[in-house]
Amino acid sequence: MIINNFLIILLISIISIYTIIYLNNLNGLIESVIKRDSRIIKIIETALDDLYSMNAADDKYIISGDPDYFLQFGQIRNEFHQKIKKLSSLTDTGAQSNLLTDVEKNYDQYSTLLKERMLNRGSLKLPEKIRRTYINKREEITGNIDRRMRNLLIISTEERDRKLQLSRDMVARIFNVSVISGIIVVFLVFFITYINARKINFPIKLLREKTKEVASGKFGDVLKIPAPPEIRELANAFNVMCDRLKELDQMKIDYINHLSHELRTPLTVIKEASLMLEQGVFSRLPEKQEELFKVINEECERLISSVNRILDFSRMEAGDMYFSFQHADIGAVIEKSIVKLFPLIRNKKMNIIKEISPNIPAVRMDIERIAEVLENLLSNAWKYTQERGTITVSAVHNSAKDAVEISIKDNGMGIPEDGLQQVFDKFKRVDDRRGAIRGTGLGLAIVRHIVNAHGGEIWVKSKIGEGSTFTFSLPVS
Ligand code: ADP
């Protein structure tokens, strides 16, 4: 688009420069006609008049001997001489200069003739014979001057007409160039605007159709459109958005499937166990009945925990998770969370070790939320560690960072390296070898959110088959 506009501007500039040059030349020509040629013509015409008047005054003087006529003659001669001088300063062509030189020569002859006559007779009347000879000679010279002046007049008029014709041609050319180039520019502007509009409209139409498809839930194939770079960038961004939406859509479907399974399993177990109790299957075996009640209770707990996580997660997503901060001792919170987990630990005959450094400063925290973090990490350690495994909970004060760091280490199945980055993402479960282990895939996403809201960080180190260590920090000040 920029190139197209530049082309139009370049074309207009060239035409403008061309027109300015021609107008300048035209101006020069017109000035030359007005200031030189017209003046030359005017001077020649009056000089010719002077020549006739000069002869007439001379004749009158010769005949009458009246000195007034001689004075008049002298005046006209002077004016004639001035005009010839003026002409030689104005003429510029070779032919004009040659003619003027001839005129000047003849005028010199005329002056010499006059001088001779004055020397001979002064102001006295001339005898008839001398007068005849003098007049014949004078007529011959003034006749020469007259002819040359007339030629000069013809040449000067032709020169003026030639220049006027040239000016007319130039005006016509400027007019033609302006009109033709104006038409070309208008056509080009229309053409380029049409091409640009097409280039923009076509991809925008495609984008509009694609947007409608996306709005109706069809994410389809990526959009590939030939378009100017600006629109192409928009299309690329649109494609990225579609890919992301497709991914999220798939994630949503997977998650709903997974969640339904997560909720249906405990409900089915509860239903089956309560049906067995209702039908009195173990009516004579009270210890079996007790086992069924225990199963129902455990599944209810699991159900409550899953629903709580979902609720927490939706609060977190909506930005509605509120915190009530206070300074508290992290050791006490850890202790309480371990106690809650104790029955599960005992069931799997696991070992739990506490390594809490003395003199850990109090940290600013929401006790309930930090307890939730610890319970999540502890229950994961319990969930993903085999029977008789070991869980180590430690807390130290990292003075360099001025933060308390709490680690939950297990010697369970570990996390594959390519899953380490994703475990904190919502809905992400590293499911390869642990299909049987149930979970919402939300626990660690909630944990990270809570830790970050405290100004802390969380990270994990893990080796497959050797175990995992989740560590989170809480700033002291
Ligand atoms: P879930 O409800 O599935 O446990 P989490 O967000 O708590 O969801 O954990 C995400 C995934 O991280 C889990 O599915 C599991 O694959 C992996 N994970 C979390 N903690 C551990 C651990 N201690 N040992 C091995 N894998 C773990």
Side-chain angles (χ1 to χ4, degrees):
M1 257 181 263
I2 293 168
I3 293 173
N4 292 344
N5 291 343
F6 176 74
L7 268 180
I8 294 177
I9 292 170
L10 186 73
L11 191 71
I12 292 174
S13 306
I14 291 172
I15 294 163
S16 305
I17 292 169
Y18 175 87
T19 314
I20 288 168
I21 291 172
Y22 262 79
L23 281 175
N24 208 27
N25 289 348
L26 182 66
N27 185 39
L29 262 180
I30 291 171
E31 273 201 4
S32 150
V33 169
I34 293 169
K35 287 192 182 155
R36 183 180 290 135
D37 299 305
S38 299
R39 277 179 76 192
I40 290 174
I41 291 165
K42 187 94 193 132
I43 293 171
I44 294 171
E45 280 168 355
T46 52
L48 276 171
D49 287 345
D50 287 350
L51 190 65
Y52 304 136
S53 311
M54 208 161 69
N55 279 354
D58 194 24
D59 281 345
K60 282 177 196 162
Y61 172 65
I62 290 166
I63 294 162
S64 66
D66 186 343
D68 281 350
Y69 287 123
F70 187 70
L71 265 177
Q72 191 189 6
F73 166 77
Q75 230 172 8
I76 301 169
R77 189 175 149 240
N78 203 24
E79 276 172 29
F80 179 78
H81 190 217
Q82 292 299 325
K83 281 172 188 164
I84 297 228
K85 269 202 212 157
K86 186 84 203 158
L87 278 176
S88 41
S89 72
L90 285 174
T91 50
D92 56 353
T93 69
Q96 282 175 326
S97 303
N98 289 343
L99 282 169
L100 255 182
T101 316
D102 279 358
V103 169
E104 274 164 352
K105 266 188 210 156
N106 279 290
Y107 180 76
D108 286 346
Q109 284 175 14
Y110 183 63
S111 300
T112 316
L113 182 71
L114 205 63
K115 242 183 243 165
E116 277 171 10
R117 196 200 82 192
M118 293 304 287
L119 278 176
N120 281 341
R121 300 295 297 175
S123 58
L124 294 175
K125 271 176 65 179
L126 289 173
E128 181 58 24
K129 196 170 163 223
I130 296 175
R131 190 167 64 94
R132 278 266 132 242
T133 323
Y134 166 74
I135 287 176
N136 285 345
K137 195 102 189 185
R138 191 197 70 190
E139 289 303 306
E140 189 194 321
I141 294 170
T142 51
N144 282 342
I145 293 175
D146 180 76
R147 266 195 305 284
R148 281 175 179 74
M149 292 282 275
R150 282 185 189 284
N151 279 346
L152 191 59
L153 184 64
I154 292 168
I155 289 178
S156 301
T157 313
E158 277 174 1
E159 179 66 8
R160 184 197 62 188
D161 292 348
R162 187 185 68 79
K163 283 181 183 167
L164 284 176
Q165 186 54 45
L166 211 64
S167 313
R168 268 183 232 112
D169 291 350
M170 238 178 227
V171 169
R173 196 172 306 162
I174 292 171
F175 177 78
N176 288 344
V177 168
S178 305
V179 169
I180 292 170
S181 51
I183 291 170
I184 292 175
V185 167
V186 169
F187 173 76
L188 261 181
V189 167
F190 271 111
F191 181 70
I192 290 172
T193 312
Y194 172 75
I195 296 281
N196 284 347
R198 251 184 74 91
K199 264 194 206 160
I200 295 169
N201 281 349
F202 177 66
I204 284 186
K205 200 174 142 215
L206 279 183
L207 272 173
R208 199 175 55 218
E209 278 161 15
K210 188 80 187 163
T211 314
K212 276 188 198 155
E213 275 181 30
V214 171
S216 67
K218 285 184 225 150
F219 303 114
D221 292 332
V222 283
L223 198 61
K224 281 202 183 84
I225 37 176
E230 301 84 355
I231 307 278
R232 222 168 30 233
E233 263 173 44
L234 180 68
N236 287 345
F238 189 85
N239 285 338
V240 171
M241 184 190 79
C242 277
D243 283 347
R244 187 77 191 115
L245 282 174
K246 223 194 279 184
E247 220 176 277
L248 283 176
D249 199 48
Q250 189 53 45
M251 213 184 244
K252 185 187 76 189
I253 294 168
D254 291 349
Y255 185 65
I256 289 174
N257 289 341
H258 165 71
L259 208 62
S260 321
H261 177 72
E262 180 65 21
L263 296 179
R264 206 175 47 218
T265 313
L267 284 172
T268 315
V269 173
I270 292 167
K271 188 185 160 207
E272 288 304 320
S274 49
L275 202 71
M276 282 165 87
L277 285 171
E278 193 195 0
Q279 289 169 350
V281 178
F282 296 122
S283 54
R284 293 207 191 116
L285 295 166
E287 65 284 4
K288 284 278 177 195
Q289 281 182 13
E290 206 174 304
E291 240 174 72
L292 282 179
F293 277 124
K294 223 168 118 196
V295 167
I296 291 173
N297 194 33
E298 272 172 14
E299 291 303 317
C300 280
E301 284 291 338
R302 196 191 299 278
L303 208 55
I304 290 167
S305 145
S306 293
V307 171
N308 278 345
R309 274 188 191 183
I310 294 164
L311 285 176
D312 257 356
F313 175 72
S314 40
R315 266 191 222 118
M316 180 183 106
E317 287 288 278
D320 266 353
M321 196 184 256
Y322 297 108
F323 295 88
S324 123
F325 292 105
Q326 56 182 288
H327 278 89
D329 172 22
I330 189 72
V333 187
I334 294 173
E335 196 73 53
K336 235 172 150 183
S337 307
I338 292 176
V339 170
K340 270 196 186 173
L341 196 80
F342 235 72
L344 296 177
I345 301 242
R346 217 182 18 230
N347 266 356
K348 272 174 106 174
K349 300 181 187 74
M350 287 169 80
N351 191 17
I352 188 150
I353 303 170
K354 270 185 294 172
E355 289 175 353
I356 299 174
S357 302
N359 306 327
I360 287 190
V363 275
R364 192 175 155 273
M365 64 172 119
D366 180 323
I367 297 175
E368 291 299 315
R369 292 290 176 199
I370 292 300
E372 198 178 329
V373 168
L374 284 163
E375 281 159 28
N376 255 305
L377 294 176
L378 282 168
S379 74
N380 274 353
W382 168 81
K383 209 158 52 166
Y384 299 107
T385 304
Q386 65 288 353
E387 279 198 5
R388 295 181 199 281
T390 302
I391 299 174
T392 310
V393 185
S394 59
V396 288
H397 177 222
N398 182 335
S399 44
K401 291 187 186 165
D402 197 20
V404 172
E405 288 178 355
I406 303 110
S407 300
I408 290 94
K409 181 179 171 198
D410 64 60
N411 58 354
M413 58 176 62
I415 303 167
E417 211 169 318
D418 56 355
L420 278 179
Q421 291 299 318
Q422 301 162 5
V423 286
F424 296 104
D425 291 347
K426 52 195 175 191
F427 310 138
K428 279 284 176 205
R429 303 199 73 229
V430 186
D431 270 332
D432 50 356
R433 312 145 299 133
R434 52 195 95 177
I437 305 174
R438 285 147 54 187
T440 54
L442 291 177
L444 288 179
I446 297 171
V447 162
R448 182 172 62 178
H449 181 80
I450 295 174
V451 171
N452 289 348
H454 280 74
E457 286 172 72
I458 181 161
W459 61 96
V460 57
K461 284 185 182 153
S462 184
K463 215 162 188 187
I464 202 90
E466 287 183 20
S468 317
T469 306
F470 283 85
T471 308
F472 67 95
S473 66
L474 295 173
V476 171
S477 43

